[in-house]
Amino acid sequence: MTVSLIRTVLLYILLIVAVRLMGKRQVAEMEPAEFVVTMLLADLASVPMQDNGLPLLSGLVPIFTILGMELIVAVLTARFVPLRRVLCGRPSILIRNGSIDQRAMETSRVSAEELFQKLREKDVFDLRAVKYAILETDGELSVLPYPKYQSVTAGDLSLPGGKADLPFPLISGGMILPHNLKDAGYDKTWLDRELRSRGLRDKDVYLMTVDRAGTVLVIRKEKR
């Protein structure tokens, strides 16, 4: 019992040191390769924790090996950009000059709803306010609003009445979102009428939103 306790404490401390050596403070800041290494280290550490018949040194060797390789790769990726792009990928521009890059969205496997969620996390509720949105390699979204939208005050946004309206995504990737349609206070008849007035069908639309003021935003699917 005492031996198991000591082994567990030692391995726990070793894992904490290993993660600290990787130079990241939280999982959300890790690159994909670093996250995989962290999971692998935890898995390797669980073996000597559970098997007291395995010499502790035998359990530490693969952990130190993986950690050493990670530190070497970190140095190499810092010096050689092509290697970093292979292992960590590169940022993807999801919104360019105010227009959604649908091909980049598909490549990054980000849906229109997920994009809206990430924008809301950045306190951006109007897609038209965004000039550039870049998906970083760690999964974070960097947003550059147009200059006139960079202030969060209602006066600078030129909003009548001093209140901003939250847009509801009604169509995402050609699929109608009935719950959002209902929450926005509209029905399928209204939606069909709006689409017909633009000569569109739901499957022709990449993204369609409406706010409480009735302002409709429609982005067509790009032709391939």
Side-chain angles (χ1 to χ4, degrees):
M1 181 69 178
T2 303
V3 174
S4 297
L5 178 61
I6 295 175
R7 288 164 66 100
T8 301
V9 172
L10 289 175
L11 289 166
Y12 171 76
I13 295 174
L14 176 61
L15 285 178
I16 295 296
V17 172
V19 173
R20 292 298 297 165
L21 287 174
M22 291 171 63
K24 297 297 182 180
R25 293 171 298 196
Q26 55 185 340
V27 173
E29 296 175 347
M30 291 184 177
E31 302 285 355
E34 293 170 331
F35 181 74
V36 170
V37 169
T38 303
M39 298 297 292
L40 184 58
L41 288 175
D43 188 54
L44 289 173
S46 67
V47 176
M49 280 185 187
Q50 299 172 2
D51 187 0
N52 290 335
L54 179 69
L56 183 58
L57 183 60
S58 299
L60 294 179
V61 168
I63 293 177
F64 281 119
T65 301
I66 294 296
L67 178 59
M69 292 177 61
E70 165 59 22
L71 294 177
I72 292 173
V73 169
V75 173
L76 292 177
T77 54
R79 295 185 178 182
F80 302 102
V81 175
L83 180 60
R84 175 174 177 79
R85 288 177 177 174
V86 170
L87 296 178
C88 303
R90 65 177 66 188
S92 299
I93 302 178
L94 303 184
I95 298 179
R96 188 190 306 267
N97 289 321
S99 299
I100 294 179
D101 189 328
Q102 297 179 27
R103 186 177 296 277
M105 293 278 287
E106 291 181 3
T107 302
S108 303
R109 293 184 292 279
V110 176
S111 69
E113 290 184 285
E114 290 172 329
L115 177 61
F116 260 86
Q117 176 184 338
K118 290 181 177 293
L119 289 174
R120 289 195 297 269
E121 291 172 356
K122 298 294 183 179
D123 295 326
V124 177
F125 296 91
D126 190 344
L127 187 64
R128 293 165 295 185
V130 181
K131 185 175 184 179
Y132 284 97
I134 303 172
L135 184 66
E136 307 293 352
T137 57
D138 62 357
E140 289 292 316
L141 188 71
S142 300
V143 178
L144 176 65
Y146 282 101
K148 67 177 181 179
Y149 291 104
Q150 289 180 2
S151 174
V152 297
T153 62
D156 290 336
L157 290 174
S158 301
L159 295 174
K163 293 184 179 180
D165 292 305
L166 178 66
F168 292 85
L170 305 181
I171 299 178
S172 174
M175 300 292 294
I176 297 175
L177 307 176
H179 293 292
N180 287 358
L181 184 62
K182 181 179 179 181
D183 291 341
Y186 298 98
D187 55 20
K188 185 66 164 51
T189 302
W190 174 87
L191 180 63
D192 291 338
R193 185 170 62 250
E194 288 292 321
L195 291 174
R196 283 197 303 270
S197 68
R198 294 168 170 82
L200 297 171
R201 297 170 295 176
D202 51 357
K203 65 180 183 180
D204 299 324
V205 178
Y206 180 75
L207 178 66
M208 178 178 180
T209 68
V210 66
D211 59 22
R212 292 296 187 186
T215 303
V216 177
L217 171 66
V218 177
I219 299 177
R220 297 170 180 256
K221 278 187 176 180
E222 295 176 351
K223 295 182 179 181
R224 301 296 171 82

